[in-house]
C-alpha cells in the first residue's frame, strides 16, 4: 500500500510515516505534489496555524494536486489535527479558505464548558464515541481513547459528516469526520499508542 504523507513543514510527518510503516504500509514523505499521483492513500498531517498551512499548500501546488487525486481520483485521504481542520471551508483562526471538502467551519473551543471553565488548548487523552458506522472505526471499542492537542475544532454543516465525538469539560466536539474518500481526525494517532495504530491500520484497509 503506497501511502503519501504530505510534508509542508508543519506536522509530525516522521512519526506519522513511522506508524504507517509499523502497520504494514509503504510510507513516502512527499514534498512534491507531483508525487501524489501514484499514491493509494494520502495523509495530511498538520500542527500550527490554519492560514499558514493553506498558504503553503497553495503556493507549493498541493491544492490542485490534492483536488485531482482526492476529489477526481477518489483516493482516500486522512487529515490529522490541523490537517483535519484544513478539510473545512473556513476557520475562525484566519481568513484563508480551506480545501472545502467538508462543509462547515473550524471554531475556537470556548473556555466556558458544561462542567465550568476549562483551559484552552485541550491537551491530553479523551475517549471518543462513534456517530455512525464507518470502515475507519473497525478497531475501536468502548475503551478507545486518543491524544489531543488543539484550540479549534471542525463543526460540520451536515451532521452526517461527523464520525466521532469526544468531550472536553463535559462539552462535546467533533473528533473525526468522513465524507466519501475524505476522512479526518482531530487527535494524533501517531501519539495514541495501540488505539492510534489500530485506526491507522483501518485507514489502509478502507475501500478494500
Amino acid at each position: 500500500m503506497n501511502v503519501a504523507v504530505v510534508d509542508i513543514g508543519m506536522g509530525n510527518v516522521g512519526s506519522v510515516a513511522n506508524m504507517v510503516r509499523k502497520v504494514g504500509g509503504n510510507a513516502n514523505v512527499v514534498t512534491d505534489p507531483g508525487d501524489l499521483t501514484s499514491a493509494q492513500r494520502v495523509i495530511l498531517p498538520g500542527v500550527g496555524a490554519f492560514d499558514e498551512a493553506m498558504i503553503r499548500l497553495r503556493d507549493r501546488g498541493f491544492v490542485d494536486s490534492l483536488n485531482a487525486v482526492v476529489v477526481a481520483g477518489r483516493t482516500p485521504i486522512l487529515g490529522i489535527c490541523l490537517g483535519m481542520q484544513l478539510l473545512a471551508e473556513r476557520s475562525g483562526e484566519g481568513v484563508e479558505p480551506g480545501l472545502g471538502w467538508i462543509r462547515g467551519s473550524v471554531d475556537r473551543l470556548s473556555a466556558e464548558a458544561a462542567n465550568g471553565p476549562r483551559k484552552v488548548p485541550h491537551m491530553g487523552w479523551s475517549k471518543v464515541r462513534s456517530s455512525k458506522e464507518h470502515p475507519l472505526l473497525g478497531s475501536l471499542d468502548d475503551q478507545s481513547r486518543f491524544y489531543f492537542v488543539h484550540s479549534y475544532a471542525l463543526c460540520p454543516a451536515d451532521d452526517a459528516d461527523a464520525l466521532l465525538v469526544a468531550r472536553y469539560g463535559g462539552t462535546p466536539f467533533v473528533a473525526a469526520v468522513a465524507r466519501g474518500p475524505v476522512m479526518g481526525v482531530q487527535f494524533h494517532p501517531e501519539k495514541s499508542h495501540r488505539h492510534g495504530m489500530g485506526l491507522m491500520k483501518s485507514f489502509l484497509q478502507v475501500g478494500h
Side-chain angles (χ1 to χ4, degrees), residues 46-57:
V47 174
F50 187 96
D51 277 11
E52 176 66 18
M54 283 307 307
I55 289 169
R56 291 192 189 193
L57 283 174

Side-chain angles (χ1 to χ4, degrees), residues 158-182:
D158 187 344
D159 290 342
D161 292 341
L163 184 58
L164 291 174
V165 174
R167 287 181 174 272
Y168 180 45
T171 301
F173 66 90
V174 174
V177 292
R179 173 174 283 269
V182 177

Side-chain angles (χ1 to χ4, degrees), residues 4 12 18-19 27 31 37 39 49 75 92 98-99 103 114 154 157-158 161 166 172 176:
N12 298 319
N18 286 338
M19 175 166 277
T31 56
T37 56
T75 300
L99 292 167
R103 289 192 304 111
L154 201 166
D158 187 344
D161 292 341

Side-chain angles (χ1 to χ4, degrees), residues 98-110:
L99 292 167
W101 298 337
I102 301 289
R103 289 192 304 111
S105 63
V106 178
D107 300 332
R108 184 173 175 82
L109 297 174
S110 173

Side-chain angles (χ1 to χ4, degrees), residues 27-96:
N28 298 303
V29 175
V30 170
T31 56
D32 182 345
D35 292 337
L36 294 177
T37 56
S38 61
Q40 296 169 285
R41 297 286 184 278
V42 178
I43 297 178
L44 179 61
V47 174
F50 187 96
D51 277 11
E52 176 66 18
M54 283 307 307
I55 289 169
R56 291 192 189 193
L57 283 174
R58 185 177 63 245
D59 290 352
R60 299 179 189 192
F62 273 108
V63 172
D64 289 342
S65 292
L66 285 168
N67 276 315
V69 169
V70 176
V71 179
R74 306 292 292 176
T75 300
I77 187 170
L78 179 68
I80 295 176
C81 196
L82 176 61
M84 167 172 154
Q85 297 174 12
L86 299 177
L87 307 178
E89 296 174 296
R90 60 194 172 276
S91 173
E93 188 181 12
V95 298
E96 293 290 327

Side-chain angles (χ1 to χ4, degrees), residues 82-151:
L82 176 61
M84 167 172 154
Q85 297 174 12
L86 299 177
L87 307 178
E89 296 174 296
R90 60 194 172 276
S91 173
E93 188 181 12
V95 298
E96 293 290 327
L99 292 167
W101 298 337
I102 301 289
R103 289 192 304 111
S105 63
V106 178
D107 300 332
R108 184 173 175 82
L109 297 174
S110 173
E112 297 299 321
N115 293 349
R118 61 183 180 179
K119 293 182 179 180
V120 177
H122 167 214
M123 299 177 64
W125 294 84
S126 292
K127 288 186 177 181
V128 298
R129 63 171 179 81
S130 60
S131 299
K132 62 180 180 180
E133 292 185 356
H134 192 280
L136 186 63
L137 309 182
S139 67
L140 268 63
D141 56 37
D142 292 342
Q143 301 305 311
S144 293
R145 61 193 190 113
F146 296 91
Y147 188 78
F148 291 82
V149 183
H150 64 118
S151 299

